[in-house]
Amino acid sequence: MKDLTGKTVIVTGGGGGGGIGRAVCRRFAEEGALVAVLDRDAEAAQTTAGLIAEAGGKAQAYAADITDYAAVAETVAAIGHDLGVPGVLVNNAGYENGISFNELTEYLIVSRQNLDGVLKRLERDNHVIRVAHPQDGRARLVRLTAQGREF
């Protein structure tokens, strides 16, 4: 992994219910990232942030349910204010209770809008390019540029 000193990273499910989110958070912190530990379990998020701080890293805990768009938007704004504009998102959180079709539709629309915004920013900064999929002209592949690989 490249040096991530000063880069803001959000890890959803970072409290580590299954251990993966916590491990991901710790690894990013080892690389110098400012880690936003996002979990619906505030205590678990705080535990992960505390472990990172004890190891000399920088992390801050945030409690939010990723299925609640308003809560996520508010939390991401807080992360931007506290740690800086996020440059990396690790979508590690899982949701075991299921959601209705209408809620899923809304979530997918919002997710696509958010992802499109990130991709446009990465394209603007010449880190990625979108190219047509060779077998499906409707789909696009996202490829790192030389500059993106150095980032």
Side-chain angles (χ1 to χ4, degrees):
M1 197 179 291
K2 296 194 182 256
D3 180 33
L4 297 171
T5 302
K7 303 264 187 228
T8 299
V9 174
I10 299 173
V11 180
T12 67
I20 294 171
R22 182 167 289 154
V24 169
C25 288
R26 293 177 87 169
R27 182 69 174 113
F28 273 108
E30 288 171 6
E31 294 297 326
L34 307 172
V35 182
V37 182
L38 180 65
D39 203 292
R40 66 179 174 185
D41 181 343
E43 187 176 322
Q46 190 56 54
T47 297
T48 299
L51 291 169
I52 290 169
E54 287 173 12
K58 296 180 182 176
Q60 191 157 336
Y62 298 88
D65 182 341
I66 63 163
T67 65
D68 180 344
Y69 177 75
V72 170
E74 183 178 311
T75 302
V76 170
I79 291 167
H81 178 265
D82 298 341
L83 301 176
V85 175
V88 176
L89 169 65
V90 178
N91 189 14
N92 174 67
Y95 188 66
E96 69 278 354
N97 295 332
I99 59 177
S100 72
F101 182 77
N102 287 341
E103 290 172 321
L104 176 61
T105 301
E106 181 179 343
Y107 174 78
L108 292 173
I109 289 169
V110 170
S111 295
R112 182 174 181 194
Q113 289 169 341
N114 291 341
L115 179 58
D116 193 55
V118 170
L119 286 174
K120 284 180 180 175
R121 179 176 175 191
L122 291 170
E123 283 179 308
R124 179 199 71 200
D125 294 344
N126 196 31
H127 295 301
V128 299
I129 58 170
R130 293 188 223 196
V131 296
H133 190 285
Q135 285 86 31
D136 183 354
R138 298 169 298 168
R140 296 290 177 263
L141 300 174
V142 178
R143 294 193 175 143
L144 285 172
T145 62
Q147 182 176 325
R149 283 188 287 279
E150 293 176 15
F151 181 65

